[in-house]
Amino acid sequence: MYRLLLCCFFLILTCQPAAATVEIALSGHPPVPLTEVYQREGTSFLAVDDVLASVGLVGRWYSVEHVYKFKTPRGTAVMSPGSQFIRIGGDFIPLAHKPRFIDSRLRVAEDFVTGNLQSLIGQTVYYRNLNPVLEEEPGEEGSLDRLFAFLLSKKKSTSAAVLRGIEIDPGHGGEDSGVIGLGGIKEKAVALDAARRLEKLVKMQMGIPVYMSRDDDYALTWKKRFEPATRDDVDALISIHAQGAFSPAAKGVTLFVRPQKQESDEAAAGTKTGESLRLANALKASLAKEGLSVGDIIEAPLLPLGRGDLPAVLIELGYLSNAEDKSRLTDSQGLDQVTRALYAGLKAYADKQKEFQN
Ligand SMILES: [Zn+2]
């Protein structure tokens, strides 16, 4: 299962157990699960002792000095609760969240693992949160459900053109880097770069509006992320990600759609799920035609796909842990090749739908 490490995913399975778990691993090592996960400030906090142990480091709390020290290849690192910095010698490394004592253990936010830790030990750290905090704004309780209810009732006008507009959703953003791959490349940056190129192609060549969930490097609530999809003229959602795996050999594009509905309730709500699959098939065909390796289309209940009837496909553009994929996704020509293929797939899907209407 780790070959297909969906560490960037917000896997929301209805049958998911309530216990929060994260996994941390160094390249070539089996992942270490941590089960003590505290949700604070809209993120997950982990015991610093557990985090360090998972990558072979040791540290301890000095109660008199009121600091926590641990040895790294760069020297002894010092952190303290309430301080926004880690100190190594004369260097001060900023932390996105201050460490804090929760249940009598010093804990760090998960961005310590995905950001600071990698630079401290000088190698890639894979991190996967199986139960991430849903970034709902305070007082928004239930609003995501209402949003999905809205998407579920979204009806496409049969008289209008098939694709009147689309939402492109570059995954992650801001403090949420997504996967961190070879050379420290961040998934959020790759996703945004690819999304912008696709946006441009669709606007220029299809002449339809494109709504981006984000157009820069900032975090989004789920509500904000899906907001463009609720527009009346949005007829498809494309979510763009890239993934990482423990095995450097894992590579290629992967497409995800919502789980297919059972035949029995096809009449009620199944048709649009079929649309998602049709869109995914069109994208897959054009990616393959462009010479990119594409795996099977996977049906999974991923939150970024929403839960409504809007045709939606989540694309993992490749593995940032694989040298070949990584160089394609960090190269302008490589990204153009991928986005050209995505555009061609989208166009083929739209043309096919027009045929059906005529
Ligand atoms: Zn992702």
Side-chain angles (χ1 to χ4, degrees):
M1 101 184 248
Y2 298 116
R3 237 193 107 253
L4 188 77
L5 181 73
L6 310 172
C7 45
C8 68
F9 273 170
F10 294 81
L11 270 168
I12 303 300
L13 302 162
T14 41
C15 57
Q16 186 126 354
T21 305
V22 303
E23 290 173 347
I24 299 174
L26 292 175
S27 187
H29 292 77
V32 179
L34 305 185
T35 50
E36 273 188 32
V37 184
Y38 289 74
Q39 315 294 6
R40 296 287 188 282
E41 301 173 36
T43 186
S44 300
F45 277 79
L46 315 162
V48 64
D49 284 327
D50 297 347
V51 169
L52 294 175
S54 71
V55 296
L57 296 180
V58 184
R60 64 170 271 233
W61 174 250
Y62 292 80
S63 54
V64 176
E65 295 169 69
H66 207 64
V67 294
Y68 186 94
K69 295 184 188 178
F70 58 102
K71 284 213 162 58
T72 78
R74 290 175 55 181
T76 300
V78 183
M79 63 164 75
S80 66
S83 167
Q84 198 95 38
F85 295 92
I86 299 174
R87 181 169 57 81
I88 296 190
D91 290 341
F92 288 86
I93 302 161
L95 287 161
H97 293 88
K98 294 171 184 173
R100 48 156 78 188
F101 275 100
I102 308 171
D103 272 355
S104 66
R105 299 187 78 191
L106 186 66
R107 300 179 196 270
V108 287
E110 61 184 354
D111 35 47
F112 170 80
V113 184
T114 55
N116 307 99
L117 191 58
Q118 310 211 91
S119 68
L120 287 172
I121 64 174
Q123 55 176 306
T124 306
V125 177
Y126 292 108
Y127 179 76
R128 180 191 194 201
N129 191 337
L130 293 124
N131 236 325
V133 179
L134 288 185
E135 293 176 25
E136 284 208 54
E137 284 155 8
E140 269 195 335
E141 202 172 325
S143 65
L144 209 54
D145 284 341
R146 284 198 299 277
L147 180 72
F148 283 131
F150 178 83
L151 286 176
L152 193 64
S153 65
K154 195 171 157 74
K155 293 279 184 287
K156 195 164 73 177
S157 157
T158 48
S159 60
V162 167
L163 273 187
R164 292 168 299 171
I166 62 165
E167 173 182 347
I168 300 177
D169 169 38
H172 314 278
E175 286 180 2
D176 171 15
S177 301
V179 168
I180 299 185
L182 298 171
I185 182 72
K186 290 175 179 164
E187 180 193 351
K188 63 174 183 179
V190 171
L192 182 61
D193 196 343
R196 280 178 175 151
R197 288 164 199 261
L198 182 60
E199 176 196 21
K200 201 171 164 189
L201 279 177
V202 174
K203 277 183 174 169
M204 286 192 315
Q205 299 189 28
M206 288 177 94
I208 60 172
V210 176
Y211 303 96
M212 301 275 278
S213 62
R214 66 180 176 96
D215 57 9
D216 212 333
D217 182 18
Y218 49 82
L220 287 176
T221 62
W222 286 104
K223 191 172 176 231
K224 280 269 177 240
R225 205 174 276 285
F226 287 115
E227 210 167 68
T230 64
R231 293 184 62 101
D232 186 52
D233 61 342
V234 166
D235 290 325
L237 165 64
I238 293 189
S239 191
I240 295 183
H241 290 252
Q243 56 190 335
F246 296 120
S247 162
K251 64 171 192 170
V253 185
T254 314
L255 301 165
F256 291 85
V257 295
R258 281 177 223 116
Q260 288 272 61
K261 293 279 195 294
Q262 297 295 318
E263 286 284 326
S264 55
D265 58 34
E266 181 93 351
T271 50
K272 286 298 182 69
T273 307
E275 285 300 313
S276 294
L277 200 54
R278 257 191 284 277
L279 176 56
N281 272 311
L283 294 168
K284 182 180 169 169
S286 65
L287 285 160
K289 204 170 161 187
E290 192 59 58
L292 297 154
S293 78
V294 197
D296 290 333
I297 295 165
I298 298 172
E299 291 175 30
L302 303 172
L303 187 58
L305 289 169
R307 289 173 202 147
D309 59 358
L310 185 72
V313 177
L314 185 146
I315 302 153
E316 295 284 359
L317 295 175
Y319 287 81
L320 299 179
S321 46
N322 174 269
E324 192 187 328
D325 278 5
K326 184 244 168 186
S327 64
R328 181 184 305 111
L329 297 175
T330 49
D331 170 71
S332 187
Q333 284 187 2
L335 274 170
D336 278 341
Q337 182 196 11
V338 175
T339 47
R340 207 166 48 230
L342 292 178
Y343 170 75
L346 195 64
K347 180 78 169 56
Y349 168 77
D351 291 348
K352 195 93 184 165
Q353 295 301 97
K354 264 180 203 156
E355 276 175 38
F356 283 132
Q357 279 189 351
N358 293 335

